[in-house]
């Protein structure tokens, strides 16, 4: 059974931050595979599956714009939360008027992509404690649920392009004849440099807490608007 989907996503702005830019936010030229996976998980996610991004098709020309955004200079920390829970006198609150700072951001504008993705089955049971299904049957059921949700515009939370203030619209494509084609300015081959592929999380086996994170990168090559994403370099 074919366990792949084609999802069109679009929006006015997008920000896929490059990790090498320490202070000001600068976006990659196109959506990253990890951001594409996040969009799919916003529509349909189960602990029994993992979305694998196979290809990204860029439809609109790559355009950048500069804006200044209000951010906060700190975040609530786990040690402080533990101190407060233990009866400490510190506060967990963050006061925006005291910790606000403006940062310049280099964003993408008027973005539109086709996400080509497939389902990897981690657990063949549809629910915890349920009967194990053949891998093809489990993939087919998850795929059917995703398609039903996507065709109705349903999502667990609003999909977004990198930051929550940049919402994404989505549309499911089941017929190849309905696919939009890349803009003529995207013809030819372009080296996009090293791009974040995904992040590997290592869990503590006893507590299930995240013990460490390892980012993985790949050399992105765009040919006529299409970027082929290599397989994940780590075990799921």
């Amino acid at each position: 059974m074919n366990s792949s989907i084609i999802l069109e996503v679009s929006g006015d702005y997008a920000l896929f931050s490059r990790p090498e830019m320490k202070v000001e936010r600068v976006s990659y030229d196109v959506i990253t595979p990890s951001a594409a996976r996040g969009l799919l998980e916003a529509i349909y996610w189960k602990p029994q599956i993992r979305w694998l991004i196979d290809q990204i098709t860029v439809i609109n020309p790559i355009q950048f714009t500069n804006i200044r955004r209000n951010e906060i200079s700190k975040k609530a920390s786990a040690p402080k939360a533990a101190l407060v829970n233990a009866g400490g006198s510190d506060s967990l609150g963050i006061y925006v008027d005291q910790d606000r700072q403006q940062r310049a951001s280099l964003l993408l504008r008027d973005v539109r992509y086709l996400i080509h993705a497939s389902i990897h089955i981690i657990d063949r049971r549809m629910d915890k404690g349920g009967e194990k299904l053949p891998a093809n049957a489990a993939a087919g059921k998850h795929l059917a649920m995703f398609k039903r949700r996507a065709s109705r515009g349903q999502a667990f939370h609003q999909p977004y392009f990198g930051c929550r203030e940049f919402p994404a619209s989505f549309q499911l494509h089941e017929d190849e004849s309905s696919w939009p084609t890349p803009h003529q300015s995207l013809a030819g081959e372009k080296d996009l440099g090293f791009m974040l592929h995904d992040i590997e999380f290592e869990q503590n086996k006893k507590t299930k807490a995240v013990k460490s994170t390892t980012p993985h990168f790949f050399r992105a090559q765009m040919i006529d608007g299409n970027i082929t994403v290599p397989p994940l370099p780590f075990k799921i």
Side-chain angles (χ1 to χ4, degrees):
M1 172 179 282
N2 182 10
S3 59
S4 61
I5 57 96
I6 308 293
L7 189 73
E8 179 185 345
V9 291
S10 59
D12 295 330
Y13 297 100
L15 176 54
F16 311 110
S17 300
R18 290 181 174 271
E20 65 268 28
M21 304 299 181
K22 298 296 184 182
V23 179
E24 311 299 344
R25 294 182 182 271
V26 177
S27 178
Y28 283 108
D29 288 16
V30 301
I31 187 173
T32 63
S34 59
R37 177 172 61 83
L39 284 166
L40 298 179
E41 290 178 348
I43 299 171
Y44 178 76
W45 177 84
K46 286 274 189 179
Q48 290 87 356
I49 68 169
R50 169 80 180 229
W51 286 107
L52 300 178
I53 308 302
D54 303 316
Q55 180 179 306
I56 295 170
T57 302
V58 185
I59 304 300
N60 288 356
I62 299 173
Q63 305 173 83
F64 287 92
T65 187
N66 281 289
I67 66 169
R68 295 189 70 84
R69 302 164 59 240
N70 287 326
E71 298 187 6
I72 54 175
S73 58
K74 65 179 183 180
K75 61 182 180 180
S77 65
K80 182 180 286 189
L83 178 64
V84 173
N85 289 335
S89 59
D90 207 341
S91 172
L92 281 176
I94 296 177
Y95 301 95
V96 176
D97 56 338
Q98 297 177 11
D99 300 308
R100 180 190 294 119
Q101 60 181 210
Q102 281 199 335
R103 289 182 178 177
S105 299
L106 185 63
L107 313 178
L108 293 167
R109 63 183 179 89
D110 191 21
V111 295
R112 191 180 180 197
Y113 307 106
L114 285 181
I115 299 173
H116 306 245
S118 55
I119 291 178
H120 173 78
I121 299 297
I122 298 173
D123 188 340
R124 289 182 291 148
R125 296 173 297 182
M126 296 299 294
D127 295 297
K128 187 176 180 180
E131 179 186 357
K132 283 190 176 181
L133 300 174
N136 286 345
K141 289 194 173 185
H142 286 295
L143 190 66
M145 284 188 280
F146 173 86
K147 289 182 176 180
R148 183 168 62 250
R149 291 177 62 83
S151 62
R152 295 175 179 176
Q154 296 176 326
F156 293 126
H157 62 82
Q158 174 62 52
Y160 55 89
F161 286 124
C163 296
R164 290 186 182 275
E165 59 262 45
F166 306 133
S169 301
F170 58 89
Q171 178 184 350
L172 182 68
H173 287 279
E174 299 195 61
D175 185 1
E176 186 173 349
S177 62
S178 66
W179 295 2
T181 55
H183 190 267
Q184 59 185 7
S185 64
L186 302 173
E189 185 173 347
K190 183 178 181 181
D191 185 357
L192 299 177
F194 285 101
M195 178 182 291
L196 178 66
H197 190 179
D198 216 319
I199 297 177
E200 179 182 4
F201 294 93
E202 184 180 355
Q203 288 184 317
N204 184 304
K205 293 183 179 180
K206 292 184 179 179
T207 64
K208 300 300 182 181
V210 175
K211 185 166 62 174
S212 65
T213 58
T214 304
H216 293 272
F217 297 83
F218 75 107
R219 193 66 179 255
Q221 298 282 341
M222 183 171 66
I223 302 175
D224 295 333
N226 297 299
I227 302 168
T228 300
V229 180
L232 288 175
F234 55 88
K235 185 177 179 180
I236 301 173

